[in-house]
């Protein structure tokens, strides 16, 4: 009985993984809005009903993808948080690593960005993830002392600026001023990492 249960769970997990893999492929080909639940199910070799056994909606599926990459996003911001007192070139190097991460997951980021405009639940979860990443930047937040809300606001605003900039720079191909944009982003982060709170 136990082995049967384990086999069933394994098959269920394999089906879920096929659905996510098929969704990623179709998001890359058709975009988030162009890839419907039925097409994703067909591509995964299952029925539409099976899709809804695993995901309540396409929004839930893209949120699942978001949760998959969240640990890497939080780890990246933790490494940025270690750069308190760094030079601009150190932050540019971090930004180059982060840009490579966006390129590696470009299909996922593109689907998430499209979903943000259409799915309130995805937008709320994305903002929640940014809040969790901001809270992981303990060194920066500690520089604000007791002003925790102010610290979180500064970090979130700078994160959202990076997020939106990389959407246009890396996903939409508006990279004609790539070097200048990376330096401007680095200077924004450097101000947060190095400038005493009372001077902001």
């Amino acid at each position: 009985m136990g082995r049967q249960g384990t086999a069933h769970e394994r098959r269920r997990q394999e089906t879920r993984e096929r659905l996510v893999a098929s969704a990623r492929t179709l998001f890359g080909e058709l975009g988030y809005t162009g890839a419907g639940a039925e097409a994703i199910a067909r591509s995964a070799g299952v029925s539409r009903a099976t899709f809804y056994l695993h995901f309540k909606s396409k929004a839930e599926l893209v949120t699942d993808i978001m949760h998959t990459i969240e640990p890497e996003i939080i780890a990246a911001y933790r490494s940025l948080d270690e750069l308190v007192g760094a030079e601009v070139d150190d932050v540019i190097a971090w930004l180059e690593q982060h840009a490579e991460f966006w390129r590696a997951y470009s299909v996922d980021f593109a689907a998430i960005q499209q979903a943000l405009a259409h799915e309130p639940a995805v937008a709320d979860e994305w903002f929640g993830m940014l809040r969790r990443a901001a809270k992981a930047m303990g060194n920066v937040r500690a520089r604000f002392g007791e002003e925790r809300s102010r610290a979180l606001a500064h970090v979130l605003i700078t994160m959202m600026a990076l997020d939106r900039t990389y959407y246009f720079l890396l996903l939409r191909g508006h990279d004609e001023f790539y070097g200048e944009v990376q330096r401007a982003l680095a200077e924004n982060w450097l101000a947060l990492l190095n400038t005493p709170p009372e001077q902001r």
Side-chain angles (χ1 to χ4, degrees):
M1 187 73 174
R3 283 197 298 271
Q4 286 179 340
T6 301
H8 173 74
E9 284 304 313
R10 187 167 57 248
R11 285 195 303 273
R12 181 177 172 81
Q13 184 60 32
E14 287 170 355
T15 300
R16 187 181 180 91
E17 288 171 1
R18 281 205 318 276
L19 284 165
V20 172
S22 294
R24 280 179 159 139
T25 299
L26 291 176
F27 290 159
E29 294 171 359
L30 306 172
Y32 176 79
T33 54
E38 189 166 346
I40 292 168
R42 192 183 317 114
S43 176
V46 299
S47 68
R48 191 167 182 266
T50 299
F51 175 94
Y52 286 111
L53 283 175
H54 290 270
F55 300 101
K56 293 177 185 175
S57 63
K58 196 169 59 166
E60 187 176 272
L61 188 152
V62 85
T63 300
D64 188 79
I65 291 172
M66 192 188 306
H67 290 159
T68 300
I69 63 175
E70 179 175 341
E72 291 185 69
I73 291 172
I74 290 177
Y77 280 110
R78 279 203 178 106
S79 69
L80 176 62
D81 189 51
E82 296 299 319
L83 297 180
V84 168
E87 302 293 332
V88 68
D89 287 343
D90 299 317
V91 182
I92 289 174
W94 180 87
L95 285 165
E96 289 297 340
Q97 287 184 332
H98 201 55
E100 282 305 310
F101 173 69
W102 269 69
R103 291 185 186 102
Y105 289 95
S106 59
V107 169
D108 295 335
F109 278 117
I112 290 165
Q113 293 294 323
Q114 286 182 24
L116 292 177
H118 298 277
E119 310 282 6
V122 174
D124 289 344
E125 185 54 32
W126 184 252
F127 186 71
M129 187 203 67
L130 290 179
R131 283 179 65 96
R132 291 187 288 276
K135 286 180 178 179
M137 297 189 73
N139 289 330
V140 169
R141 291 190 301 109
R143 291 168 57 76
F144 286 80
E146 295 300 313
E147 296 183 285
R148 293 176 184 172
S149 295
R150 186 171 171 230
L152 191 60
H154 274 276
V155 175
L156 274 171
I157 287 168
T158 313
M159 280 181 172
M160 287 189 282
L162 174 58
D163 189 62
R164 194 88 303 233
T165 300
Y166 274 10
Y167 170 72
F168 287 104
L169 192 71
L170 303 175
L171 302 185
R172 302 299 300 167
H174 298 289
D175 58 357
E176 56 270 29
F177 304 113
Y178 180 86
E180 291 87 344
V181 170
Q182 286 286 74
R183 178 163 287 273
L185 287 169
E187 288 167 353
N188 285 348
W189 276 111
L190 205 63
L192 192 57
L193 289 162
N194 292 348
T195 306
E198 62 272 12
Q199 294 181 22
R200 293 192 189 100

